[in-house]
Amino acid sequence: MSLTFPNPSRSYDEAGKRIRFVGHDGMFQISFSVATDAISKASSEAPTAEATFLAAFDTASSSIHEIARNAYARTRKSIYVLTAADFR
């Protein structure tokens, strides 16, 4: 089976400065997070940081999901943290 993202839910992790989301490989749930600095140049200290980062994620979700698929295809782990290096 291939990795899919049927659930559009995502959440902002303020402490970790990342957006969390999940993918599914058949019945297995795979946890992903993407560092906010990888998808936005906004400051994490801004009062609207959460909304800004979630909007940036939504705008780039297709490419983020593709990068997540590539990472999963390489190692097949259950948890991934995507950073700016993954987007190069």
Side-chain angles (χ1 to χ4, degrees), residues 10 38 51 64 71:
R10 74 282 186 272
I64 292 169

Side-chain angles (χ1 to χ4, degrees), residues 3-74:
L3 187 65
T4 61
F5 299 92
N7 184 346
S9 296
R10 74 282 186 272
S11 62
Y12 176 55
D13 173 4
E14 186 174 4
K17 305 291 187 234
R18 56 185 124 188
I19 304 295
R20 297 183 183 279
F21 62 104
V22 297
H24 295 272
D25 183 1
M27 63 184 229
F28 298 104
Q29 181 171 296
I30 314 302
S31 298
F32 289 92
S33 59
V34 60
T36 55
D37 65 351
I39 59 171
S40 176
K41 301 295 183 213
S43 169
S44 60
E45 305 304 318
T48 60
E50 179 175 0
T52 300
F53 293 137
L54 291 174
F57 180 92
D58 293 343
T59 299
S61 64
S62 293
S63 62
I64 292 169
H65 290 161
E66 189 58 35
I67 290 165
R69 280 185 195 94
N70 291 339
Y72 181 70
R74 283 191 304 271

